[in-house]
């Protein structure tokens, strides 16, 4: 296969891979007493989550992640100090960013119900232990980035 054909094949595979991404979110970090903490949201069914949601038509995964974080936690001052790279999980993509804001539980304008039961910043280890299995690789990835930057 020629170099040009391999290149075109890689582009097509990349495009089809991006089309499979349906959701995006941000692992939100805040330093409290000089220790990094991760924002965890408790769902109404008792599971623990991070800010994430569906990508709307024409929206990039990055833009969706930022939007969903604002909608679900009221946090809009995201600083991507660890870069804008991401990790993919299933049909989702995660980013990691720092905030200085205090989160709050917002009300979904369509259902008029609170998005989550509660939210809080927890230690890195606690965040990894609490989230569902499908999110653990993303949380581990974020923890490695956070810890590597603090060395």
């Amino acid at each position: 296969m020629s170099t040009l054909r391999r290149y075109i094949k890689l582009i097509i595979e990349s495009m089809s891979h991006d089309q499979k991404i349906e959701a995006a979110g941000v692992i939100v970090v805040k330093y409290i007493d000089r220790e990094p903490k991760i924002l965890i949201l408790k769902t109404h069914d008792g599971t623990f989550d991070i800010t994430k949601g569906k990508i709307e038509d024409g929206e990039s995964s990055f833009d969706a992640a930022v939007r969903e974080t604002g909608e679900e936690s009221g946090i809009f001052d995201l600083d991507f100090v660890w870069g804008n790279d991401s990790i993919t999980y299933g049909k989702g993509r995660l980013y990691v960013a720092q905030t200085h804001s205090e989160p709050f539980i917002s009300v979904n304008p369509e259902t008029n119900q609170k998005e989550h039961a509660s939210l809080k910043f927890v230690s890195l280890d606690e965040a990894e232990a609490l989230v569902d299995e499908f999110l653990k690789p993303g949380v581990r990835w974020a923890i490695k980035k956070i810890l590597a930057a603090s060395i």
Side-chain angles (χ1 to χ4, degrees):
M1 183 183 303
S2 73
T3 304
L4 178 60
R5 285 186 184 196
R6 276 186 291 221
Y7 180 71
I8 292 170
K9 182 179 176 192
L10 284 172
I11 290 173
I12 292 169
E13 287 172 359
S14 172
M15 289 170 59
S16 65
H17 176 71
D18 286 346
Q19 290 173 352
K20 294 176 185 174
I21 301 298
E22 297 175 2
V26 176
I27 297 170
V28 179
V29 179
K30 183 174 183 177
Y31 281 82
I32 301 171
D33 297 328
R34 305 181 124 207
E35 292 293 324
K37 307 285 183 176
I38 293 177
L39 181 64
I40 297 294
L41 306 115
K42 187 174 185 180
T43 65
H44 294 292
D45 67 4
T47 60
F48 293 91
D49 206 351
I50 58 163
T51 58
K52 63 177 178 30
K54 290 189 177 189
I55 299 172
E56 295 178 357
D57 289 339
E59 188 175 41
S60 71
S61 62
F62 182 81
D63 290 341
V66 170
R67 177 184 52 75
E68 284 290 341
T69 299
E71 288 177 1
E72 293 187 352
S73 69
I75 293 177
F76 294 95
D77 73 325
L78 296 170
D79 186 358
F80 292 85
V81 297
W82 298 283
N84 287 357
D85 55 332
S86 62
I87 188 169
T88 301
Y89 67 94
K91 294 184 178 184
R93 182 165 290 147
L94 295 174
Y95 300 86
V96 59
Q98 183 177 344
T99 188
H100 297 286
S101 295
E102 285 301 317
F104 61 86
I105 301 171
S106 60
V107 173
N108 183 313
E110 294 176 14
T111 64
N112 208 28
Q113 302 292 318
K114 286 190 173 186
E115 291 269 351
H116 296 89
S118 64
L119 47 73
K120 63 181 176 178
F121 283 99
V122 300
S123 72
L124 304 182
D125 290 340
E126 191 176 0
E128 182 180 353
L130 288 173
V131 297
D132 281 341
E133 282 300 315
F134 75 99
L135 290 172
K136 286 186 189 299
V139 171
R140 288 183 192 118
W141 167 79
I143 290 169
K144 285 180 186 175
K145 292 180 84 56
I146 295 161
L147 295 176
S150 64
I151 295 176

